[in-house]
Amino acid sequence: MPIADPEVLDNGAAVAERVAALLLQARQEHPQLPLGLATGRTMEPVYAALVRLVQGLPTSERLDLGAHWRSFNLDEYVGLGPADPASFAAAMERHLAAPLGLARARLQLPDGLASDPLLEAERYGAAVAAAGGIGLQLLGLGLNGHIGFNEPPCAADARCRVVTLSASTRHQNAGAFGGSAQAVPEQAITLGLSEILAARQVLLVVTGSAKAPVLQRLLQDPPGPQLPASWLHRHPAVTLIVDRDAWGRG
Ligand code: GLP
């Protein structure tokens, strides 16, 4: 079943509000199912909107949310730990765990400092499976069509593993490393398409004009390894939320 037509909202702020509301709804309606979370610039306003939403809840609901929070992030750079501000663990702490007062252990990520990254990828994939898989998986879209750090080419059955990042992705993510693509780690641990496609629901979020070409490719191309996000056409419950700039059709 191809990905349904997107919800096209006016701007990134509107997208962030909408996505935050859906994340909160998923947490409240299915507290037993872990959320799948993503990092990146697209998600920063989403988490800011989620924090505002949660802070507006009655105290009892806020405490309940904190007590039952459970999420697994998609990925982490090999070699970076939470003490490094460029790590995804640090980003999650900054944007979500600290402002919401969530215990760090409630937000899981692959351990970028594990002495054996291959084993860590196996452990992390098994931890997601042991939790019953992901309920709602939040996804951003890489300029080359990656989701998580599943770089092209990528098979639909790729599991949680260590990947080598493409030059384009290291360039895309250089902002967190003082603008230097060379400073971006060469490898990462990422959930695979296998775990992503097993999520009950997927929420794909695309904002900004730079993503317009890859979004058009995604909507036109059949599923295939050259555009990893295109495997989402095979998922039965994908919600695509974009802003006008990414939609690019006036
Ligand atoms: C990154 C992350 C993805 C993210 C994507 C888009 O490299 N691994 O999880 O969704 O690329 O990033 P951004 O939102 O900064 O454009």
Side-chain angles (χ1 to χ4, degrees):
M1 184 161 69
I3 297 172
D5 285 345
E7 274 183 47
V8 185
L9 300 178
D10 276 347
N11 51 43
V15 167
E17 301 282 333
R18 171 88 176 116
V19 173
L22 291 172
L23 289 173
L24 181 58
Q25 187 184 358
R27 259 332 293 151
Q28 292 184 319
E29 289 180 2
H30 304 287
Q32 74 287 4
L33 292 176
L35 284 178
L37 296 182
T39 45
R41 277 155 298 181
T42 310
M43 299 309 161
E44 289 180 16
V46 168
Y47 294 140
L50 181 59
V51 167
R52 284 194 300 275
L53 259 187
V54 172
Q55 284 170 344
L57 291 175
T59 311
S60 60
E61 281 183 45
R62 223 173 45 229
L63 292 176
D64 196 55
L65 196 78
H68 296 107
W69 189 273
R70 190 156 200 210
S71 59
F72 288 92
N73 266 69
L74 284 164
D75 44 21
E76 180 60 282
Y77 293 111
V78 168
L80 299 194
D84 190 317
S87 69
F88 291 158
M92 293 310 293
E93 177 70 20
R94 235 176 7 249
H95 298 302
L96 207 59
L100 289 185
L102 299 171
R104 190 177 269 187
R106 294 206 158 272
L107 287 87
Q108 301 193 48
L109 295 94
D111 178 5
L113 294 178
S115 56
D116 184 338
L118 297 178
L119 263 186
E120 170 57 11
E122 248 177 64
R123 181 203 67 79
Y124 193 68
V128 169
I134 302 293
L136 177 66
Q137 176 66 61
L138 177 64
L139 292 175
L141 181 63
L143 287 173
N144 64 359
H146 74 224
I147 47 178
F149 269 137
N150 291 280
E151 299 277 41
C154 178
D157 61 358
R159 305 185 73 86
C160 186
R161 67 202 184 288
V162 176
V163 291
T164 298
L165 300 178
S166 67
S168 111
T169 294
R170 291 175 74 209
H171 184 76
Q172 182 186 337
N173 289 4
F177 296 84
S180 159
Q182 261 81 34
V184 179
E186 290 174 15
Q187 292 191 308
I189 297 172
T190 184
L191 289 182
L193 260 296
S194 166
E195 289 89 2
I196 292 171
L197 292 174
R200 310 314 189 270
Q201 281 179 280
V202 171
L203 184 49
L204 177 62
V205 186
V206 189
T207 56
S209 55
K211 300 277 176 75
V214 67
L215 178 61
Q216 286 316 307
R217 265 182 78 201
L218 170 62
L219 293 173
Q220 284 157 18
D221 286 10
Q226 293 309 326
L227 194 72
S230 67
W231 294 118
L232 295 173
H233 288 302
R234 292 198 178 160
H235 192 286
V238 178
T239 302
L240 173 59
I241 302 184
V242 309
D243 69 358
R244 286 197 187 287
D245 286 347
W247 186 232
R249 298 183 189 175

